[in-house]
Amino acid sequence: MAIEVTHEHLVVERRRPDARRRRWERTYRRTLLVADALAATAAALVIHGAYGRWAAALLLPPLWITAMFAHRTYERGALGLGGEEYLRVLRGALVLPALAGAHWLVTHDTGLLHDMTLAAAPAVAFALPARYALRRRLHRRWARGRDRNATLLVGPSRGVLELAVVLRRAGGPQEMRVAGVCLSDTDHAAEIRALGLPVLGGAGDLDDVVRAMGIGTVVVLPAPEFDAAALRRMSWITAVHDADFLLAPVLSDVSASRLAVRPTHGVPLLRIQAPNLSRFARLPKEALDRSLAALLLVLCGLPMLLIALIVRLDSPGPALYRQQRVGRYGDHFTMLKFRTMRPDADALRAELAHLNSNSDGLLFKVKGDPRITRVGSFLRRSSLDELPQLINVVKGHMSLVGPRPPLPEEVEEYTPDIKRRLLVKPGLTGLWQVSGRSDLPWDEAVRLDLGYVDNWSMSLDLTILARTGSAVVRGTGAY
């Protein structure tokens, strides 16, 4: 039964969902189901080959599939992006020894408990790589524009503009394809069309637009006009067409791990956990930073000496460039880089102020900067000029991952909000680098840095480190 909202009252109607829109989801789920069955069968054969018992081998595949269903590993919200899918698989794997343990309590049969406990590891070892391979294939299809979800943005022009810019700059695989916009303030439609997004009407046209465009997801942004009754009606309309209904929070740039729903007297309140930046919480990061930086210095020692020699031979001046930067809590330190400019580059900066490509903020960047040497241009494009910063990481002045290290004169112009960047150490790489570096507008760079500070975790650091390699190869914004 589907719920349909008319202008006057609520009616109930049977309606068949758009089969074409969900076809890829059904195919993907069936493929996952087959992959899980094969993984469980392979694990069962491993256990049978090792111990020669058929009981666990025969029970493992159906129990594994049942556990995957029970832990919602085939649910739409867990597919394609994020680590939740893998976490659900791991939690489901724990069911196997738990069920075998319950069987042991009743029958005292240790054989099944032994085999099921050992079977969980190979089942996970086969299932997770299979899911990863299928996800990579899905991402490649998304990159080619296939199987993406037609998405409708509903809300005020300012919120729509901000979300559209974030989605375009996000990079990486994206399931959502913004098919159009319904504005709560239609008099600002020209601003949205300037971004290349079609304005399909106002918020009151939601039903007609979703039906005509085959929309799979509706994203509603905060607006004064959208009270509880209006949002409820929108959710009913969306349900009629079997589309997802998503509410964008007023507070953006909050990671999902910090969000939790807390029911209070029947009202679902959204709890936002405060960032954990204590010294104890960051001890693993400190250990990883210094040990990995020391290892990289050992491995890169000879190449760095060769680069230093080439810099000296290419142009007069020292091989290393030393500059005062601002670290955590506003402490100053001397940052090291391979010199990529003429020795008098700082003195010539004022003469090039009119060429600054970042006139919207505090950063100073000039495309085709005449102060850059021949070797310096290559070092910047390849990011090899930043290798000496590993010494800063070992000394504890910087981190492998963090906000961009600012200049003292930049910090003097910071507003109280932007100074929040100084709660963590600056990084050799960060969200700013994997998202475009110097090509980013100032406001976007600040948003990324503040988002990193508020949402910091070891998993976020590892994700950024994994993305840094491809960002360096692309060379986007490196000049």
Side-chain angles (χ1 to χ4, degrees), residues 141-449:
R141 292 177 67 85
W142 286 351
R144 294 194 296 266
R146 302 178 64 182
D147 297 339
R148 297 180 69 190
N149 197 354
T151 302
L152 179 70
L153 306 184
V154 182
S157 56
R158 181 172 180 179
V160 168
L161 282 170
E162 292 176 354
L163 181 58
V165 169
V166 169
L167 292 177
R168 288 186 175 184
R169 289 193 177 277
Q174 290 192 36
E175 178 199 2
M176 291 184 180
R177 172 182 61 83
V178 180
V181 175
C182 285
L183 292 176
S184 60
D185 51 347
T186 52
D187 50 326
H188 291 87
E191 302 175 23
I192 304 301
R193 293 192 181 98
L195 275 181
L197 297 176
V199 177
L200 305 176
D205 302 312
L206 179 62
D207 189 15
D208 294 335
V209 171
V210 173
R211 178 188 299 110
M213 299 293 293
I215 297 297
T217 300
V218 174
V219 179
V220 179
L221 296 99
E225 301 88 346
F226 297 162
D227 57 12
L231 292 175
R232 190 180 298 113
R233 286 193 294 270
M234 289 183 193
S235 70
W236 289 336
I237 292 172
T238 306
V240 168
H241 302 282
D242 192 35
D244 292 333
F245 183 74
L246 305 181
L247 285 176
V250 176
L251 183 60
S252 60
D253 296 317
V254 178
S255 66
S257 61
R258 295 176 56 208
L259 299 178
V261 176
R262 176 185 290 178
T264 303
H265 300 294
V267 179
L269 301 179
L270 191 63
R271 178 179 181 270
I272 301 178
Q273 182 177 340
N276 187 2
L277 301 176
S278 66
R279 290 185 180 273
F280 180 78
R282 298 179 70 86
L283 279 178
K285 176 181 175 68
E286 293 281 348
L288 177 65
D289 282 341
R290 299 201 185 197
S291 58
L292 187 54
L295 177 62
L296 290 173
L297 278 175
V298 172
L299 296 176
C300 299
L302 288 178
M304 289 174 66
L305 289 176
L306 180 60
I307 293 173
L309 177 61
I310 295 174
V311 170
R312 290 294 305 271
L313 293 176
D314 177 63
S315 61
L320 291 178
Y321 176 68
R322 294 171 169 83
Q323 189 178 45
Q324 284 292 299
R325 295 293 180 110
V326 181
R328 186 170 55 180
Y329 306 141
D331 296 335
H332 289 205
F333 69 97
T334 301
M335 190 184 74
L336 302 175
K337 297 178 68 174
F338 283 121
R339 182 175 57 83
T340 59
M341 290 186 173
R342 296 165 43 179
D344 59 347
D346 290 337
L348 296 174
R349 174 172 170 170
E351 299 178 13
L352 302 174
H354 64 288
L355 300 176
N356 184 13
S357 59
N358 282 314
S359 57
D360 61 338
L362 303 178
L363 303 182
F364 184 85
K365 286 287 183 179
V366 176
K367 292 185 178 180
D369 196 322
R371 300 173 297 170
I372 298 177
T373 63
R374 292 173 299 176
V375 170
S377 179
F378 169 75
L379 293 178
R380 286 184 170 224
R381 286 196 306 272
S382 61
S383 296
L384 292 174
D385 61 318
E386 297 176 0
L387 283 178
Q389 292 175 33
L390 291 170
I391 300 174
N392 292 119
V393 176
V394 172
K395 289 183 175 180
H397 300 142
M398 293 179 63
S399 173
L400 290 176
V401 181
R404 188 190 69 86
L407 293 164
E409 54 266 31
E410 294 172 3
V411 175
E412 290 177 1
E413 300 294 327
Y414 280 2
T415 63
D417 287 347
I418 301 178
K419 284 184 178 179
R420 189 171 178 80
R421 300 168 84 235
L422 304 179
L423 289 177
V424 299
K425 292 180 182 179
L428 195 150
T429 184
L431 284 174
W432 50 275
Q433 186 179 55
V434 300
S435 303
R437 290 193 276 189
S438 298
D439 284 344
L440 291 175
W442 169 248
D443 289 344
E444 181 69 6
V446 170
R447 185 188 70 82
L448 289 172
D449 282 344

